Amino acid sequence: MLDKKVSELLNDQINKEFYSAYLYLDFSIYYEEQGLDGFANWYKIQAQEERDHAMLMMEYLQNNGEKVELKAIAKPDKELKDKVQVLELGLEHERYVTSLVHAIYDAAYSARDFRTMQFLDWFVKEQGEEEKNADDMVKKMKLFGDDAKSLYMLNSEMAARTYSAPSLTL
C-alpha cells in the first residue's frame, strides 16, 4: 500500500498529464492552422506521450492496490499568439511538469517509498529530455524562424518525428 500523500499526488498527476495532452493538441491545432504541419505533427506526438505518461501512472497505482480517481480535464486557456510564443509556453509547461514530478518524488522520499522513487526515476529522466527538446525548439525558432527557407527546414525536421511508446516496465 502506498503512502496516502504519494497516492494522492500520483492521482493528481494523472490529471495533469491528460491536461498536458490537451494543451499539446491545442498547440498542434494552432500550428496546423498556421500551415506548419511539421510542428503540428511534433505536438500531436507530444500529446500521445503525455497520455502514455498518465496511463503508466494509472497502471502503477492499480498495481499497488490504489484507487484511481479520474477528474475533469481543464480546457487549455492559453492564448496562442505566434509561433515562438507557443514554443515558449511549451517550455514553461515542461518546467512546471518537472516541478510536479519532483514534488511526488520528494513525498515518496519522505515516506521512504523506494518502489515509487524507482518508478519515478524514469519520469525524472524523461522530464530532463522534455525540457531540453522544448528549449532547443525555442532556440531554433528564434534563430531561424523568420527566414522562410529555414522555417521550412525546421518544419520538415518536426514532421520527421515519429511516435514511439515509452519502454518503462512496471
Side-chain angles (χ1 to χ4, degrees):
M1 205 166 167
L2 297 180
D3 176 79
K4 182 176 171 54
K5 180 177 180 181
V6 170
S7 180
E8 287 172 2
L9 287 171
L10 283 167
N11 260 301
D12 288 344
Q13 190 62 29
I14 290 168
N15 179 267
K16 298 222 179 354
E17 296 291 338
F18 281 127
Y19 172 80
S20 295
Y22 266 36
L23 181 66
Y24 292 150
L25 285 174
D26 198 35
F27 289 4
S28 177
I29 291 165
Y30 170 82
Y31 281 117
E32 194 69 46
E33 291 170 351
Q34 302 305 308
L36 294 169
D37 60 336
F39 284 88
N41 172 66
W42 201 92
Y43 275 112
K44 280 180 195 166
I45 290 171
Q46 197 62 27
Q48 287 177 298
E49 283 190 8
E50 304 304 337
R51 182 197 61 90
D52 283 349
H53 296 169
M55 299 299 283
L56 287 167
M57 290 179 184
M58 187 177 80
E59 184 179 352
Y60 181 76
L61 285 172
Q62 290 173 324
N63 287 347
N64 284 280
E66 295 295 317
K67 181 170 176 45
V68 174
E69 298 177 38
L70 297 178
K71 300 170 185 166
I73 301 168
K75 179 181 186 280
D77 63 351
K78 303 291 185 189
E79 182 182 347
L80 307 181
K81 299 175 186 171
D82 66 65
K83 59 189 184 296
V84 174
Q85 178 250 5
V86 173
L87 297 175
E88 289 172 335
L89 288 172
L91 175 57
E92 177 185 311
H93 185 73
E94 287 301 337
R95 288 177 175 156
Y96 169 67
V97 172
T98 297
S99 75
L100 297 172
V101 170
H102 288 177
I104 302 167
Y105 200 100
D106 186 52
Y109 178 79
S110 295
R112 300 186 49 83
D113 181 351
F114 302 111
R115 186 176 347 146
T116 299
M117 289 166 57
Q118 183 179 21
F119 169 71
L120 291 171
D121 282 343
W122 182 87
F123 289 94
V124 171
K125 181 179 179 241
E126 174 75 2
Q127 280 309 122
E129 292 171 11
E130 299 285 10
E131 283 189 39
K132 182 182 181 333
N133 289 338
D135 188 49
D136 287 350
M137 288 173 64
V138 170
K139 287 176 182 171
K140 287 177 182 180
M141 184 65 82
K142 285 182 175 179
L143 282 171
F144 308 115
D146 290 331
D147 175 68
K149 289 179 185 177
S150 296
L151 182 57
Y152 177 80
M153 297 289 283
L154 281 175
N155 191 59
S156 297
E157 180 184 325
M158 298 304 140
R161 183 180 187 197
T162 58
Y163 177 71
S164 131
S167 59
L168 177 63
T169 308
L170 299 178

